[in-house]
Amino acid sequence: MKNNSEFREKYAYPILGIATIAILLFLNFSNQLTFEFPTVFWQKNMGFVGVNSTNFIIIYSHNQIDQRVFVNGWNSYWLMEASVWDPSRSKVSRMLKKGAQMGLNVCRTWAFSDGPGPNSLQISPGVFNERVLKGLDYVIVEARKNGVRLILSLVNNLNAFGGKAQYVKWAQEAGVVNISSSADSFFADSTIKDYYKAYIKAIVTRKNSLSGVRYSEEPAIFAWELINEPRCDFDSCSSILQAWITEMVAYTKSLDQKHLVTIGLEGFYGPKPVEKSKINPGEWATSLGTDFIQNSAIDGIDFASVHAYPDSWMPHANVTAKLDFLSHWLDSHISDSENILKKPVLFTEVGYPIYVKGENGHYGDNLMRTVYDKIFESAKKGQAGAGSLIWQLLVEGMEEFGDRFSVVAWNHPSTYKLIVEQSCRLKSIMWKRKSAGELNGEDTCSGLVP
Ligand SMILES: *[C@@H]1O[C@H](CO)[C@@H](O)[C@H](O)[C@H]1NC(C)=O
Ligand SMILES: *[C@@H]1O[C@H](CO)[C@@H](O)[C@H](O)[C@H]1NC(C)=O
Ligand SMILES: *[C@@H]1O[C@H](CO)[C@@H](O)[C@H](O)[C@H]1NC(C)=O
């Protein structure tokens, strides 16, 4: 540095200028006590997902381009929890990036965690952990960055992460329901329903601390899912469950008119008609208080959701019987969605034990291929089978979130190939209709699809 005046000219004035802007910005926002500098200024342009008859479409509000879209997706239920603390945030980014590279366009994940606990989102009814909400903010921003849309599930039927049992416990502790009341009070009791509605409201109307975008205005959200795998303890609660879905979908839509809503069903048929109930994996599945058709037909439910776990549902059946069941399960739900419901259907969880070998090669690959083929056949005809999501993908170092259905896909070359091929052949039908610059996997697929 030669002399003082040159320093002033070259460096000091710009520094002063930046400082002034910073001070002005600070003054501008200092009236908001909780103001934090948004870390995301630029976000990928994305349309909202809508429904046209039995297809999903992407709606671009500005230039009105409608693009029919099919889903090759995955589950990683752990994204929010892993985003709460810094060290594991990079795993979330990596998962979403790798998913996008595999051409996957939708990820389903938990937007709930109820009960006492350091990483719990809802500590007690209506009391939220801001740090965990910021974790969810992070998941959404990273999804959008990678062109992935999220299905966010709002409560668990199962006890993991609190679930409906935690809501019932809260009501018992508050003296609202008595100690002998069953988990079905979750669907029946008005105080518990109010707890749950308050939860929906807190999530759906939240403003993302990183992007400043309200969740209800966020195109990277594909849909809200009311409850993961609803089941009743008593068959007698089927009409209560039907009423609960009706009430909750209407409530969600009153807060958010832009997003799709689904239930989160496993897809079991009720006891009537008998022909349908025979498609279930067993007699037990008809008495869980759910009915795929009746439940999914409710107004405001934009698309049907179905799970497929031949191995959990038919543990004693042989491989041929499991694959046979799966094939009918898919045909039946796609056909009902096309002809009766007239809504798209997503197979939102398809899982198989990773390390089981079948009679002809890898059992899991055969199972996944069965699902992917059915979806592709339906999609080619423009029918209701709109996509499937494998349960579940991990990245290295996240094994603690694994179960016997979890896989680091790129460590299983045959599985990886199968997933990418499905992404690419679904994309090839979308591309035929219209090229929209936001499809994942354009690089991955070039050369793979004729
Ligand atoms: C919407 O559905 C109608 C009827 O099936 C069809 O004619 C039209 O092309 C669809 N629009 C889009 C954008 O897919
Ligand atoms: C307690 O709850 C159960 C199940 O909801 C109900 O059948 C029973 O009548 C209730 N008992 C009292 C004393 O309120
Ligand atoms: C598999 O199970 C089905 C139905 O129980 C039976 O009909 C079939 O013979 C079995 N196949 C083999 C190879 O064991």
Side-chain angles (χ1 to χ4, degrees):
M1 193 179 309
K2 277 187 217 132
N3 62 49
N4 242 345
S5 81
E6 193 177 325
F7 169 77
R8 256 203 309 276
E9 245 176 74
K10 265 179 103 170
Y11 303 102
Y13 293 143
I15 289 171
L16 264 178
I18 290 165
T20 311
I21 291 169
I23 288 164
L24 282 175
L25 275 173
F26 176 75
L27 289 176
N28 204 13
F29 290 112
S30 57
N31 56 340
Q32 300 172 25
L33 267 170
T34 56
F35 175 75
E36 283 174 46
F37 219 82
T39 52
V40 181
F41 288 104
W42 179 84
Q43 292 214 96
K44 209 184 194 95
N45 189 25
M46 253 188 168
F48 280 86
V49 177
V51 161
N52 179 36
S53 168
T54 60
N55 294 140
F56 290 118
I57 51 167
I58 296 176
I59 303 158
Y60 298 89
S61 50
H62 302 303
N63 47 9
Q64 299 296 316
I65 302 170
D66 285 348
Q67 160 75 42
R68 183 157 58 167
V69 69
F70 298 105
V71 173
N72 195 28
W74 85 99
N75 286 272
S76 286
Y77 74 83
W78 45 272
L79 298 183
M80 180 177 78
E81 182 164 356
S83 297
V84 176
W85 302 99
D86 256 334
S88 47
R89 278 194 167 187
S90 62
K91 310 283 188 193
V92 174
S93 310
R94 180 166 155 82
M95 185 69 253
L96 289 161
K97 188 167 174 207
K98 293 292 275 184
Q101 280 170 0
M102 293 162 78
L104 299 171
N105 53 5
V106 174
C107 175
R108 177 170 171 270
T109 195
W110 295 168
F112 58 75
S113 177
D114 300 299
N119 293 341
S120 177
L121 200 168
Q122 184 170 218
I123 300 153
S124 57
V127 179
F128 305 101
N129 183 342
E130 180 61 20
R131 175 176 274 282
V132 180
L133 281 166
K134 283 181 177 157
L136 189 55
D137 292 345
Y138 181 80
V139 174
I140 293 170
V141 165
E142 286 297 299
R144 180 146 172 193
K145 192 192 282 176
N146 287 291
V148 170
R149 289 186 175 79
L150 300 168
I151 295 178
L152 294 176
S153 191
L154 294 166
V155 71
N156 206 352
N157 187 80
L158 312 167
N159 293 343
F161 300 93
K164 67 180 184 185
Q166 178 63 64
Y167 278 83
V168 174
K169 191 159 174 251
W170 280 329
Q172 287 166 347
E173 284 164 2
V176 178
V177 299
N178 72 42
I179 212 79
S180 66
S181 39
S182 90
D184 288 350
S185 345
F186 178 81
F187 300 117
D189 182 81
S190 63
T191 303
I192 300 179
K193 287 196 279 186
D194 286 345
Y195 290 166
Y196 178 62
K197 282 184 179 170
Y199 184 72
I200 295 179
K201 186 171 185 183
I203 298 295
V204 168
T205 63
R206 176 171 173 83
K207 194 170 185 180
N208 192 310
S209 64
L210 298 171
S211 65
V213 179
R214 265 191 209 290
Y215 285 12
S216 58
E217 303 286 328
E218 174 55 70
I221 295 172
F222 185 99
W224 302 112
E225 182 183 277
L226 294 178
I227 176 167
N228 174 49
E229 302 190 339
R231 289 183 179 188
C232 291
D233 285 356
F234 299 103
D235 196 17
S236 55
C237 109
S238 63
S239 61
I240 294 170
L241 177 60
Q242 182 79 357
W244 182 88
I245 298 166
T246 308
E247 182 176 345
M248 295 310 164
V249 66
Y251 182 70
T252 308
K253 295 251 158 160
S254 75
L255 301 168
D256 178 352
Q257 291 84 48
K258 290 195 168 158
H259 286 113
L260 305 179
V261 177
T262 192
I263 302 171
L265 289 177
E266 291 159 287
F268 302 126
Y269 294 95
K272 280 183 197 150
V274 176
E275 315 87 80
K276 293 273 185 219
S277 74
K278 283 186 180 145
I279 293 154
N280 283 342
E283 193 63 37
W284 55 271
T286 60
S287 55
L288 301 170
T290 65
D291 179 67
F292 173 70
I293 301 205
Q294 224 194 103
N295 299 154
S296 308
I298 291 170
D299 264 359
I301 296 300
D302 297 295
F303 64 95
S305 39
V306 180
H307 294 181
Y309 285 103
D311 290 274
S312 310
W313 293 346
M314 316 167 70
H316 306 299
N318 62 38
V319 165
T320 316
K322 282 175 187 165
L323 290 175
D324 201 42
F325 155 77
L326 182 65
S327 193
H328 286 110
W329 185 247
L330 284 146
D331 286 343
S332 173
H333 286 88
I334 292 173
S335 151
D336 290 342
S337 301
E338 180 68 28
N339 301 313
I340 303 175
L341 296 170
K342 304 189 192 305
K343 299 176 181 183
V345 56
L346 272 191
F347 293 82
T348 45
E349 286 189 26
V350 180
Y352 58 88
I354 301 303
Y355 297 102
V356 175
K357 299 269 180 228
E359 284 140 25
N360 312 300
H362 197 281
Y363 164 65
D365 288 349
N366 290 340
L367 186 146
M368 253 356 262
R369 190 174 291 112
T370 304
V371 175
Y372 285 164
D373 284 349
K374 295 279 184 198
I375 295 295
F376 182 63
E377 281 162 32
S378 170
K380 238 181 358 186
K381 289 183 270 181
Q383 293 187 344
S388 59
L389 290 77
I390 192 171
W391 178 278
Q392 69 147 347
L393 299 187
L394 293 174
V395 292
E396 299 86 348
M398 298 311 277
E399 287 78 8
E400 62 177 302
F401 293 100
D403 53 20
R404 68 192 180 109
F405 304 107
S406 301
V407 64
V408 179
W410 40 98
N411 292 343
H412 287 251
S414 64
T415 308
Y416 187 84
K417 184 161 173 279
L418 200 60
I419 295 175
V420 171
E421 281 173 357
Q422 176 73 351
S423 300
C424 295
R425 62 178 177 167
L426 287 180
K427 248 132 230 179
S428 75
I429 3 181
M430 299 186 235
W431 282 333
K432 268 184 204 138
R433 284 175 60 88
K434 182 154 294 209
S435 157
E438 67 162 75
L439 300 170
N440 280 337
E442 280 172 86
D443 300 333
T444 318
C445 297
S446 58
L448 251 171
V449 171

